[in-house]
């Protein structure tokens, strides 16, 4: 099974993502790389939801929400969107719960890539 099929099984609408980039698989793959890099460069720890200043966390969640939306990673996008809304409403405890719910899917999407990004 190739990675696109694995993404589909995880709820990612790969076809819509490809349509968003006019069917350009290499560009979609590049955007997947950007997502993986962004997760690494914008780490979110559960303890971040307990911080007094949530602005950094809001920024990180916003970045990941945008990328997951562009990639049509529907389960991640919905979770990040909900977490972001809750953070902006100053409800970090509820936002943390949303984030905890999306983590297993995010980890399943990222899991195959410890430095090896063979997409298809």
């Amino acid at each position: 099974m190739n990675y696109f099929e694995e993404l589909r099984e995880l709820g990612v609408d790969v076809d819509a993502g490809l349509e968003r980039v006019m069917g350009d698989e290499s560009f979609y793959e590049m955007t997947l790389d950007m997502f993986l890099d962004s997760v690494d460069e914008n780490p979110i720890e559960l303890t971040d939801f307990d911080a007094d200043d949530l602005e950094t966390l809001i920024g990180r969640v916003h970045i990941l929400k945008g990328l997951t939306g562009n990639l049509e990673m529907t389960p991640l996008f919905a979770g990040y969107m909900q977490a972001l809304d809750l953070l902006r409403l100053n409800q970090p405890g509820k936002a943390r719960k949303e984030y905890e719910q999306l983590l297993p899917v995010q980890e399943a999407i990222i899991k195959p890539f410890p430095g090896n990004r063979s997409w298809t």
Side-chain angles (χ1 to χ4, degrees):
M1 174 182 328
N2 71 27
Y3 187 62
F4 285 1
E5 291 170 5
E6 290 178 38
L7 287 175
R8 286 181 181 100
E9 287 186 5
L10 293 167
V12 176
D13 191 344
V14 173
D15 297 322
L18 286 168
E19 188 175 310
R20 189 180 284 263
V21 296
M22 296 179 274
D24 187 340
E25 283 190 21
S26 62
F27 187 72
Y28 188 74
E29 291 168 359
M30 183 180 76
T31 310
L32 286 169
D33 281 336
M34 289 172 55
F35 169 70
L36 296 173
D37 290 341
S38 290
V39 169
D40 289 341
E41 294 167 2
N42 298 284
I44 297 174
E45 302 294 332
L46 294 178
T47 55
D48 294 341
F49 291 87
D50 299 325
D52 291 332
D53 179 16
L54 297 176
E55 289 306 310
T56 299
L57 179 59
I58 288 171
R60 289 177 178 169
V61 170
H62 186 266
I63 288 167
L64 296 173
K65 177 203 63 106
L67 282 169
T68 57
N70 288 335
L71 289 163
E72 298 291 340
M73 294 180 166
T74 307
L76 296 183
F77 176 73
Y80 276 119
M81 176 68 91
Q82 186 66 25
L84 184 61
D85 288 345
L86 290 166
L87 287 169
R88 288 180 174 156
L89 292 171
N90 199 28
Q91 297 180 5
K94 289 181 180 180
R96 178 186 178 144
K97 289 178 184 175
E98 287 294 326
Y99 180 70
E100 287 176 313
Q101 290 178 1
L102 70 80
L103 271 180
V105 176
Q106 180 168 290
E107 289 170 4
I109 289 171
I110 293 172
K111 186 178 180 180
F113 302 101
N116 178 18
R117 296 181 182 178
S118 174
W119 297 111
T120 54

